[in-house]
Amino acid sequence: MAAATSSSPISLTAKPSSKSPLPISRFSLPFSLTPQKDSSRLHRPLAISAVLNSPVNVAPPSPKKIDKNKTFVSRYAPDEPRKGADILVEALERQGVETVFAYPGGASMEIHQALTRSSTIRNVLPRHEQGGVFAAEGYARSSGKPGICIATSGPGATNLVSGLADAMLDSVPLVAITGQVPRRMIGTDAFQETPIVEVTRSITKHNYLVMDVDDIPRIVQEAFFLATSGRPGPVLVDVPKDIQQQLAIPNWDQPMRLPGYMSRLPQPPEVSQLGQIVRLISESKRPVLYVGGGSLNSSEELGRFVELTGIPVASTLMGLGSYPCNDELSLQMLGMHGTVYANYAVEHSDLLLAFGVRFDDRVTGKLEAFASRAKIVHIDIDSAEIGKNKTPHVSVCGDVKLALQGMNKVLENRAEELKLDFGVWRSELSEQKQKFPLSFKTFGEAIPPQYAIQILDELTEGKAIISTGVGQHQMWAAQFYKYRKPRQWLSSSGLGAMGFGLPAAIGASVANPDAIVVDIDGDGSFIMNVQELATIRVENLPVKILLLNNQHLGMVMQWEDRFYKANRAHTYLGDPARENEIFPNMLQFAGACGIPAARVTKKEELREAVQTMLDTPGPYLLDVICPHQEHVLPMIPSGGTFKDVITEGDGRTKY
């Protein structure tokens, strides 16, 4: 029997035991010691939660129709007993898993032993569990398939927390498996025990504590289904060590038990709803598309929609690449550090088509003033997002892909009747593009960080998969690299987790072995998971690291410059005793792991240095020394409006 948890407390049961009742320690048991006959309590309906980019359709097939296991050939005879850990690994194999990011420990050793007996699953060994979960995210974000990470109990499990929260906020399909102390020791403050189900309750879409070895096949099937259906998100499966060691004969034909969740999955949108949206488009003069992570799986349909309507496209940070950033109808990113013309378009629009977005504060600023002149159409797969921050005039709870397909059919059938023409509006926005282009200042021979990204974009022809940490370099990478396709851009958007870039690049490189993968990182973010250089070297992954090194915690420093009279409050990351030297020496980190590296300090030397990085087989680190005075612009201060946009100035100016 499994103890399953969701975002609110739930009463659960365990099978009767011959052992005496366990003492209750500082936290309560996640299951009841009193057996219950009513098993319906074990399957509380789940809410669709936390994710914008869905890798499956809204109305997935019934569990009874799933036939993944029909062609699977097990290495065990049907009636041959095997350990719970081997059942778990085979369950992963039956889900098509080829790669996991797993770091072993005492409570997960059995799983790792079972992994060595698998001929199809590769373990990419991270050097820290946070590196493992971020790598699993990079794998998922770049491929659309669920990422798998495994950790031991206690500190191993808690090291996954940032990655789970990140996947929750950015709607990333993830299955995290953790070892747990034996069932009889749960709740006793045993060595390396943490109640990880309770710890992660609010930052996972769902989680399980496995209390019966016979439940493993069903739980794993449910975990993958939950992670990838509806609004995707992370699911955690906690497996006590004695369950891993117990011998059993698995039943692979168990049905999933998710009736409440299945009944809540959105249905395909009604034709009448889509017709109403098309009517609003035909009546508008200044429409604009506002697309987010929920549009990543609908890139083709979105492109056709724009072709049929001629409506310009503004993207969120999560939505970059869903529509080509180099297209003339692209307004690029909107929001706090979005382009002036994207924010101008929203400010002056009369119809805002919000597809797969959640009206995040970094996009809207002051909510009351955001798109205040516009009628709002909101399409999202998660009903909880509809009207949460901004009340729409028309809403559709459903898959953006299906909605776009339906609207495209309506538009194609009524093309002659509608005769949409937004040429005057597009011309107005083109004038804004000419008047307020993305630009940057020069600092003599020093290298502007934006210029380094422009050079990378040019030399890779915009085809690289880009991961980032969090901070100024993240915003510049969003602004100055022109993403052509979805899943090229991997960044911790909602959580803003520093240290994300390097391990995410590992996951992306594993999922896309023939792609150019570049981690555009800052010195502050890079050093947070610098140990993953060892993983890159051992796995011989061709990850390139473009390190924009300004010796400061750049984004916080920018706010200090703008709002705190440039008072430095622990944002200098170098050695105060040797301010004229670059500290730490990032090249030595790379050298310690046998990774070739170089440093460039002059603008005239940059192009050749970037080309050398790209031409060098295998991994490479390029340390680009940048002036710390540069600011990310444009900038709308937090809680501000379009009228508050800042387009000038840097750290050389006093405010």
Side-chain angles (χ1 to χ4, degrees), residues 390-415:
K390 193 80 174 175
T391 303
H393 296 77
V394 176
S395 64
V396 176
C397 181
D399 192 328
V400 170
K401 189 182 188 76
L402 298 180
L404 282 168
Q405 288 172 350
M407 286 188 289
N408 288 345
K409 286 182 181 178
V410 174
L411 289 164
E412 288 166 350
N413 293 336
R414 298 180 58 192

PDB file of all heavy atoms in Angstrom, residues 390-415:
ATOM      1  N   LYS A 390      -5.192  38.214 -13.195  1.00  0.00           N
ATOM      2  CA  LYS A 390      -5.844  39.186 -14.083  1.00  0.00           C
ATOM      3  C   LYS A 390      -7.113  38.542 -14.627  1.00  0.00           C
ATOM      4  O   LYS A 390      -7.072  37.433 -15.167  1.00  0.00           O
ATOM      5  CB  LYS A 390      -4.885  39.555 -15.234  1.00  0.00           C
ATOM      6  CG  LYS A 390      -5.292  40.758 -16.041  1.00  0.00           C
ATOM      7  CD  LYS A 390      -4.933  42.072 -15.355  1.00  0.00           C
ATOM      8  CE  LYS A 390      -5.226  43.252 -16.276  1.00  0.00           C
ATOM      9  NZ  LYS A 390      -4.990  44.537 -15.585  1.00  0.00           N
ATOM     10  N   THR A 391      -8.223  39.224 -14.485  1.00  0.00           N
ATOM     11  CA  THR A 391      -9.503  38.660 -14.932  1.00  0.00           C
ATOM     12  C   THR A 391      -9.640  38.803 -16.444  1.00  0.00           C
ATOM     13  O   THR A 391      -9.615  39.919 -16.974  1.00  0.00           O
ATOM     14  CB  THR A 391     -10.674  39.366 -14.242  1.00  0.00           C
ATOM     15  OG1 THR A 391     -10.516  39.251 -12.822  1.00  0.00           O
ATOM     16  CG2 THR A 391     -11.996  38.741 -14.662  1.00  0.00           C
ATOM     17  N   PRO A 392      -9.790  37.694 -17.169  1.00  0.00           N
ATOM     18  CA  PRO A 392      -9.932  37.779 -18.627  1.00  0.00           C
ATOM     19  C   PRO A 392     -11.368  38.057 -19.043  1.00  0.00           C
ATOM     20  O   PRO A 392     -12.309  37.792 -18.290  1.00  0.00           O
ATOM     21  CB  PRO A 392      -9.496  36.390 -19.087  1.00  0.00           C
ATOM     22  CG  PRO A 392      -9.897  35.494 -17.957  1.00  0.00           C
ATOM     23  CD  PRO A 392      -9.747  36.304 -16.692  1.00  0.00           C
ATOM     24  N   HIS A 393     -11.521  38.594 -20.243  1.00  0.00           N
ATOM     25  CA  HIS A 393     -12.859  38.779 -20.812  1.00  0.00           C
ATOM     26  C   HIS A 393     -13.371  37.466 -21.399  1.00  0.00           C
ATOM     27  O   HIS A 393     -14.566  37.175 -21.348  1.00  0.00           O
ATOM     28  CB  HIS A 393     -12.832  39.866 -21.887  1.00  0.00           C
ATOM     29  CG  HIS A 393     -12.480  41.218 -21.347  1.00  0.00           C
ATOM     30  ND1 HIS A 393     -11.194  41.580 -21.019  1.00  0.00           N
ATOM     31  CD2 HIS A 393     -13.256  42.294 -21.054  1.00  0.00           C
ATOM     32  CE1 HIS A 393     -11.191  42.825 -20.563  1.00  0.00           C
ATOM     33  NE2 HIS A 393     -12.421  43.276 -20.567  1.00  0.00           N
ATOM     34  N   VAL A 394     -12.446  36.690 -21.978  1.00  0.00           N
ATOM     35  CA  VAL A 394     -12.775  35.372 -22.510  1.00  0.00           C
ATOM     36  C   VAL A 394     -11.692  34.413 -22.036  1.00  0.00           C
ATOM     37  O   VAL A 394     -10.506  34.714 -22.134  1.00  0.00           O
ATOM     38  CB  VAL A 394     -12.824  35.370 -24.059  1.00  0.00           C
ATOM     39  CG1 VAL A 394     -13.073  33.951 -24.571  1.00  0.00           C
ATOM     40  CG2 VAL A 394     -13.898  36.313 -24.568  1.00  0.00           C
ATOM     41  N   SER A 395     -12.098  33.264 -21.505  1.00  0.00           N
ATOM     42  CA  SER A 395     -11.116  32.294 -21.035  1.00  0.00           C
ATOM     43  C   SER A 395     -11.436  30.914 -21.584  1.00  0.00           C
ATOM     44  O   SER A 395     -12.607  30.558 -21.771  1.00  0.00           O
ATOM     45  CB  SER A 395     -11.082  32.247 -19.508  1.00  0.00           C
ATOM     46  OG  SER A 395     -12.317  31.800 -18.989  1.00  0.00           O
ATOM     47  N   VAL A 396     -10.385  30.160 -21.839  1.00  0.00           N
ATOM     48  CA  VAL A 396     -10.512  28.771 -22.274  1.00  0.00           C
ATOM     49  C   VAL A 396      -9.552  27.947 -21.435  1.00  0.00           C
ATOM     50  O   VAL A 396      -8.338  28.178 -21.474  1.00  0.00           O
ATOM     51  CB  VAL A 396     -10.172  28.601 -23.771  1.00  0.00           C
ATOM     52  CG1 VAL A 396     -10.219  27.123 -24.149  1.00  0.00           C
ATOM     53  CG2 VAL A 396     -11.115  29.415 -24.644  1.00  0.00           C
ATOM     54  N   CYS A 397     -10.080  27.014 -20.685  1.00  0.00           N
ATOM     55  CA  CYS A 397      -9.230  26.102 -19.920  1.00  0.00           C
ATOM     56  C   CYS A 397      -9.010  24.862 -20.772  1.00  0.00           C
ATOM     57  O   CYS A 397      -9.909  24.030 -20.933  1.00  0.00           O
ATOM     58  CB  CYS A 397      -9.873  25.732 -18.586  1.00  0.00           C
ATOM     59  SG  CYS A 397      -8.829  24.635 -17.601  1.00  0.00           S
ATOM     60  N   GLY A 398      -7.817  24.785 -21.335  1.00  0.00           N
ATOM     61  CA  GLY A 398      -7.520  23.671 -22.225  1.00  0.00           C
ATOM     62  C   GLY A 398      -6.120  23.762 -22.774  1.00  0.00           C
ATOM     63  O   GLY A 398      -5.361  24.692 -22.468  1.00  0.00           O
ATOM     64  N   ASP A 399      -5.777  22.792 -23.586  1.00  0.00           N
ATOM     65  CA  ASP A 399      -4.456  22.714 -24.203  1.00  0.00           C
ATOM     66  C   ASP A 399      -4.326  23.800 -25.274  1.00  0.00           C
ATOM     67  O   ASP A 399      -5.148  23.893 -26.187  1.00  0.00           O
ATOM     68  CB  ASP A 399      -4.289  21.324 -24.825  1.00  0.00           C
ATOM     69  CG  ASP A 399      -2.853  21.034 -25.230  1.00  0.00           C
ATOM     70  OD1 ASP A 399      -2.139  21.973 -25.604  1.00  0.00           O
ATOM     71  OD2 ASP A 399      -2.453  19.853 -25.158  1.00  0.00           O
ATOM     72  N   VAL A 400      -3.290  24.607 -25.163  1.00  0.00           N
ATOM     73  CA  VAL A 400      -3.058  25.681 -26.135  1.00  0.00           C
ATOM     74  C   VAL A 400      -2.918  25.111 -27.542  1.00  0.00           C
ATOM     75  O   VAL A 400      -3.394  25.706 -28.517  1.00  0.00           O
ATOM     76  CB  VAL A 400      -1.800  26.495 -25.745  1.00  0.00           C
ATOM     77  CG1 VAL A 400      -1.408  27.455 -26.857  1.00  0.00           C
ATOM     78  CG2 VAL A 400      -2.030  27.255 -24.452  1.00  0.00           C
ATOM     79  N   LYS A 401      -2.278  23.954 -27.647  1.00  0.00           N
ATOM     80  CA  LYS A 401      -2.074  23.333 -28.962  1.00  0.00           C
ATOM     81  C   LYS A 401      -3.407  23.048 -29.646  1.00  0.00           C
ATOM     82  O   LYS A 401      -3.606  23.376 -30.819  1.00  0.00           O
ATOM     83  CB  LYS A 401      -1.274  22.042 -28.791  1.00  0.00           C
ATOM     84  CG  LYS A 401      -0.804  21.398 -30.092  1.00  0.00           C
ATOM     85  CD  LYS A 401      -0.068  20.101 -29.791  1.00  0.00           C
ATOM     86  CE  LYS A 401       0.581  19.527 -31.035  1.00  0.00           C
ATOM     87  NZ  LYS A 401       1.807  20.258 -31.411  1.00  0.00           N
ATOM     88  N   LEU A 402      -4.326  22.437 -28.881  1.00  0.00           N
ATOM     89  CA  LEU A 402      -5.636  22.120 -29.453  1.00  0.00           C
ATOM     90  C   LEU A 402      -6.427  23.384 -29.768  1.00  0.00           C
ATOM     91  O   LEU A 402      -7.133  23.452 -30.780  1.00  0.00           O
ATOM     92  CB  LEU A 402      -6.419  21.241 -28.481  1.00  0.00           C
ATOM     93  CG  LEU A 402      -5.813  19.873 -28.142  1.00  0.00           C
ATOM     94  CD1 LEU A 402      -6.715  19.119 -27.177  1.00  0.00           C
ATOM     95  CD2 LEU A 402      -5.590  19.060 -29.408  1.00  0.00           C
ATOM     96  N   ALA A 403      -6.304  24.395 -28.912  1.00  0.00           N
ATOM     97  CA  ALA A 403      -7.019  25.650 -29.152  1.00  0.00           C
ATOM     98  C   ALA A 403      -6.506  26.325 -30.414  1.00  0.00           C
ATOM     99  O   ALA A 403      -7.296  26.835 -31.226  1.00  0.00           O
ATOM    100  CB  ALA A 403      -6.864  26.577 -27.950  1.00  0.00           C
ATOM    101  N   LEU A 404      -5.196  26.340 -30.595  1.00  0.00           N
ATOM    102  CA  LEU A 404      -4.623  26.957 -31.801  1.00  0.00           C
ATOM    103  C   LEU A 404      -5.015  26.177 -33.054  1.00  0.00           C
ATOM    104  O   LEU A 404      -5.324  26.775 -34.087  1.00  0.00           O
ATOM    105  CB  LEU A 404      -3.102  27.023 -31.674  1.00  0.00           C
ATOM    106  CG  LEU A 404      -2.550  28.144 -30.791  1.00  0.00           C
ATOM    107  CD1 LEU A 404      -1.072  27.939 -30.506  1.00  0.00           C
ATOM    108  CD2 LEU A 404      -2.767  29.508 -31.452  1.00  0.00           C
ATOM    109  N   GLN A 405      -5.020  24.858 -32.954  1.00  0.00           N
ATOM    110  CA  GLN A 405      -5.447  24.062 -34.108  1.00  0.00           C
ATOM    111  C   GLN A 405      -6.877  24.407 -34.499  1.00  0.00           C
ATOM    112  O   GLN A 405      -7.189  24.577 -35.688  1.00  0.00           O
ATOM    113  CB  GLN A 405      -5.331  22.570 -33.781  1.00  0.00           C
ATOM    114  CG  GLN A 405      -3.906  22.054 -33.706  1.00  0.00           C
ATOM    115  CD  GLN A 405      -3.827  20.616 -33.201  1.00  0.00           C
ATOM    116  OE1 GLN A 405      -4.816  20.050 -32.730  1.00  0.00           O
ATOM    117  NE2 GLN A 405      -2.646  20.023 -33.295  1.00  0.00           N
ATOM    118  N   GLY A 406      -7.737  24.521 -33.487  1.00  0.00           N
ATOM    119  CA  GLY A 406      -9.134  24.854 -33.756  1.00  0.00           C
ATOM    120  C   GLY A 406      -9.293  26.244 -34.339  1.00  0.00           C
ATOM    121  O   GLY A 406     -10.061  26.447 -35.303  1.00  0.00           O
ATOM    122  N   MET A 407      -8.589  27.233 -33.770  1.00  0.00           N
ATOM    123  CA  MET A 407      -8.691  28.601 -34.287  1.00  0.00           C
ATOM    124  C   MET A 407      -8.119  28.709 -35.691  1.00  0.00           C
ATOM    125  O   MET A 407      -8.652  29.455 -36.533  1.00  0.00           O
ATOM    126  CB  MET A 407      -7.984  29.572 -33.341  1.00  0.00           C
ATOM    127  CG  MET A 407      -8.756  29.840 -32.060  1.00  0.00           C
ATOM    128  SD  MET A 407      -8.040  31.159 -31.044  1.00  0.00           S
ATOM    129  CE  MET A 407      -6.569  30.346 -30.441  1.00  0.00           C
ATOM    130  N   ASN A 408      -7.062  27.964 -35.954  1.00  0.00           N
ATOM    131  CA  ASN A 408      -6.481  28.002 -37.298  1.00  0.00           C
ATOM    132  C   ASN A 408      -7.467  27.483 -38.343  1.00  0.00           C
ATOM    133  O   ASN A 408      -7.553  28.020 -39.461  1.00  0.00           O
ATOM    134  CB  ASN A 408      -5.186  27.184 -37.334  1.00  0.00           C
ATOM    135  CG  ASN A 408      -4.045  27.862 -36.598  1.00  0.00           C
ATOM    136  OD1 ASN A 408      -4.121  29.057 -36.296  1.00  0.00           O
ATOM    137  ND2 ASN A 408      -2.988  27.125 -36.312  1.00  0.00           N
ATOM    138  N   LYS A 409      -8.217  26.461 -37.979  1.00  0.00           N
ATOM    139  CA  LYS A 409      -9.227  25.947 -38.909  1.00  0.00           C
ATOM    140  C   LYS A 409     -10.306  26.993 -39.175  1.00  0.00           C
ATOM    141  O   LYS A 409     -10.725  27.199 -40.322  1.00  0.00           O
ATOM    142  CB  LYS A 409      -9.860  24.670 -38.334  1.00  0.00           C
ATOM    143  CG  LYS A 409      -8.954  23.454 -38.393  1.00  0.00           C
ATOM    144  CD  LYS A 409      -9.671  22.225 -37.851  1.00  0.00           C
ATOM    145  CE  LYS A 409      -8.755  21.007 -37.890  1.00  0.00           C
ATOM    146  NZ  LYS A 409      -9.409  19.794 -37.325  1.00  0.00           N
ATOM    147  N   VAL A 410     -10.741  27.655 -38.117  1.00  0.00           N
ATOM    148  CA  VAL A 410     -11.756  28.704 -38.276  1.00  0.00           C
ATOM    149  C   VAL A 410     -11.212  29.825 -39.152  1.00  0.00           C
ATOM    150  O   VAL A 410     -11.903  30.320 -40.065  1.00  0.00           O
ATOM    151  CB  VAL A 410     -12.181  29.257 -36.899  1.00  0.00           C
ATOM    152  CG1 VAL A 410     -13.128  30.445 -37.068  1.00  0.00           C
ATOM    153  CG2 VAL A 410     -12.843  28.171 -36.061  1.00  0.00           C
ATOM    154  N   LEU A 411      -9.976  30.237 -38.897  1.00  0.00           N
ATOM    155  CA  LEU A 411      -9.373  31.330 -39.665  1.00  0.00           C
ATOM    156  C   LEU A 411      -9.189  30.946 -41.131  1.00  0.00           C
ATOM    157  O   LEU A 411      -9.398  31.773 -42.033  1.00  0.00           O
ATOM    158  CB  LEU A 411      -8.021  31.711 -39.056  1.00  0.00           C
ATOM    159  CG  LEU A 411      -8.087  32.428 -37.698  1.00  0.00           C
ATOM    160  CD1 LEU A 411      -6.729  32.407 -37.022  1.00  0.00           C
ATOM    161  CD2 LEU A 411      -8.561  33.874 -37.886  1.00  0.00           C
ATOM    162  N   GLU A 412      -8.791  29.706 -41.371  1.00  0.00           N
ATOM    163  CA  GLU A 412      -8.607  29.255 -42.757  1.00  0.00           C
ATOM    164  C   GLU A 412      -9.942  29.212 -43.498  1.00  0.00           C
ATOM    165  O   GLU A 412     -10.024  29.609 -44.676  1.00  0.00           O
ATOM    166  CB  GLU A 412      -7.955  27.869 -42.762  1.00  0.00           C
ATOM    167  CG  GLU A 412      -6.485  27.897 -42.367  1.00  0.00           C
ATOM    168  CD  GLU A 412      -5.935  26.514 -42.049  1.00  0.00           C
ATOM    169  OE1 GLU A 412      -6.736  25.548 -41.951  1.00  0.00           O
ATOM    170  OE2 GLU A 412      -4.721  26.396 -41.871  1.00  0.00           O
ATOM    171  N   ASN A 413     -10.977  28.771 -42.811  1.00  0.00           N
ATOM    172  CA  ASN A 413     -12.289  28.668 -43.451  1.00  0.00           C
ATOM    173  C   ASN A 413     -12.935  30.029 -43.685  1.00  0.00           C
ATOM    174  O   ASN A 413     -13.758  30.186 -44.597  1.00  0.00           O
ATOM    175  CB  ASN A 413     -13.222  27.810 -42.593  1.00  0.00           C
ATOM    176  CG  ASN A 413     -12.785  26.355 -42.532  1.00  0.00           C
ATOM    177  OD1 ASN A 413     -12.093  25.881 -43.439  1.00  0.00           O
ATOM    178  ND2 ASN A 413     -13.168  25.654 -41.478  1.00  0.00           N
ATOM    179  N   ARG A 414     -12.557  31.028 -42.874  1.00  0.00           N
ATOM    180  CA  ARG A 414     -13.199  32.349 -42.974  1.00  0.00           C
ATOM    181  C   ARG A 414     -12.238  33.437 -43.450  1.00  0.00           C
ATOM    182  O   ARG A 414     -12.493  34.624 -43.245  1.00  0.00           O
ATOM    183  CB  ARG A 414     -13.762  32.731 -41.607  1.00  0.00           C
ATOM    184  CG  ARG A 414     -14.835  31.777 -41.092  1.00  0.00           C
ATOM    185  CD  ARG A 414     -15.345  32.207 -39.726  1.00  0.00           C
ATOM    186  NE  ARG A 414     -15.883  33.554 -39.744  1.00  0.00           N
ATOM    187  CZ  ARG A 414     -16.192  34.256 -38.660  1.00  0.00           C
ATOM    188  NH1 ARG A 414     -16.006  33.729 -37.452  1.00  0.00           N
ATOM    189  NH2 ARG A 414     -16.669  35.486 -38.742  1.00  0.00           N
ATOM    190  N   ALA A 415     -11.142  33.032 -44.083  1.00  0.00           N
ATOM    191  CA  ALA A 415     -10.106  33.991 -44.489  1.00  0.00           C
ATOM    192  C   ALA A 415     -10.659  35.091 -45.384  1.00  0.00           C
ATOM    193  O   ALA A 415     -10.385  36.287 -45.169  1.00  0.00           O
ATOM    194  CB  ALA A 415      -8.967  33.257 -45.194  1.00  0.00           C
TER     195      ALA A 415
END
